[in-house]
Amino acid sequence: MEYKPEYRRYLPHFQPAGVAFFITGRLYGSLPQEALERLKEEKEAAYNRIKRECRDEKIREEEIRKMHKRHFARWDEYLDSNSSEPQWLMKPEIASIIIESLHLWNEKSYSLVAYCIMPNHFHMVIDTSDEAKYTKPLYAIMHTLKSYTAKKANKALDRVGTFWQEESYDHVIRDSRELKNTVVYTLENPVKAGLVDAWENFPFSFVNGDYV
């Protein structure tokens, strides 16, 4: 079974059942408009080059998928290096809300593989391969997660307004090798950002031992 695709700018964005996902969500306003425009221009240029040079449809689609990964790496780099507000997720009480929520739906909506809560964004890896057990589509999982955590975090911060950027980045993990690499990427993010020397020393990360 496949859920209805959500069409994006370059490729139909399928959210299939029975797979593992890598997901990144960020705080509303966590990237300046200038950075977003620069990233958009880079992505448009890369897409146009691929479209121009790749005539074979399968090769073109694979190159576009690789381009999306490179674009995400640049996007994540901006998030890691942006030390301006908002940085609410670095507050232990707010990070704890996100962590509690991720574990709350573990073994209900997904199997929680790994996560890392950064100051202005989070990475999570979930496994929904048990189709008999995990029937909720990804967009519904993320809506529930963001709605629940936004209300609790805003209350803890004594604020009102939008907490999360509406759209999250998500990527279907194709095989066990990619899953392992994605878990490593997730756990190493605070090291790459210069927050700790070793991922084990970061207080807001987790990995399920069954997946390492």
Side-chain angles (χ1 to χ4, degrees):
M1 178 180 72
E2 282 191 336
Y3 299 114
K4 184 179 179 181
E6 172 194 343
Y7 285 89
R8 289 184 177 174
R9 169 65 180 82
Y10 302 105
L11 286 173
H13 177 215
F14 290 92
Q15 293 186 343
V19 298
F21 290 101
F22 171 62
I23 305 149
T24 298
R26 67 182 177 93
L27 294 176
Y28 182 78
S30 54
L31 282 178
Q33 190 62 34
E34 179 185 349
L36 290 171
E37 289 297 329
R38 190 179 303 121
L39 287 167
K40 180 181 177 182
E41 289 173 6
E42 291 174 3
K43 191 174 185 179
E44 290 280 356
Y47 172 73
N48 289 332
R49 178 186 58 77
I50 293 168
K51 186 178 177 183
R52 184 172 60 251
E53 296 177 1
C54 297
R55 299 301 180 186
D56 183 276
E57 184 177 351
K58 287 187 177 180
I59 294 175
R60 184 169 62 249
E61 289 195 0
E62 184 59 29
E63 287 301 310
I64 289 173
R65 293 185 193 282
K66 289 178 182 178
M67 179 269 288
H68 277 292
K69 281 191 172 185
R70 291 192 299 270
H71 174 77
F72 169 77
R74 290 276 289 136
W75 182 74
D76 198 33
E77 213 174 276
Y78 271 108
L79 285 170
D80 287 341
S81 62
N82 184 18
S83 59
S84 61
E85 294 296 333
Q87 299 272 302
W88 298 316
L89 303 186
M90 72 186 301
K91 297 176 180 288
E93 65 272 26
I94 305 303
S96 295
I97 290 170
I98 313 306
I99 290 169
E100 180 261 340
S101 180
L102 292 175
H103 285 280
L104 179 63
W105 285 288
N106 183 32
E107 300 304 328
K108 298 174 185 175
S109 297
Y110 51 76
S111 177
L112 185 59
V113 178
Y115 62 72
C116 176
I117 314 297
M118 299 293 286
N120 59 10
H121 66 289
F122 69 89
H123 300 301
M124 61 185 285
V125 184
I126 60 173
D127 186 357
T128 64
S129 57
D130 187 344
E131 294 185 64
K133 184 175 183 181
Y134 305 125
T135 58
K136 185 180 287 189
L138 182 61
Y139 72 84
I141 291 172
M142 294 309 298
H143 175 77
T144 300
L145 176 67
K146 284 186 169 182
S147 177
Y148 178 82
T149 54
K151 289 175 183 176
K152 295 196 74 171
N154 272 341
K155 184 176 180 180
L157 292 165
D158 192 25
R159 70 178 295 274
V160 294
T162 305
F163 188 79
W164 296 113
Q165 190 70 29
E166 183 177 354
E167 187 178 73
S168 302
Y169 170 89
D170 60 82
H171 170 73
V172 173
I173 298 172
R174 296 182 175 184
D175 52 41
S176 58
R177 181 179 178 182
E178 187 177 8
L179 178 60
K180 182 178 180 179
N181 290 339
T182 304
V183 169
V184 170
Y185 181 94
T186 300
L187 297 176
E188 290 290 332
N189 194 193
V191 179
K192 180 168 64 76
L195 299 179
V196 288
D197 294 328
W199 75 263
E200 294 90 345
N201 298 330
F202 193 65
F204 309 134
S205 60
F206 162 86
V207 61
N208 184 330
D210 292 339
Y211 293 88
V212 293

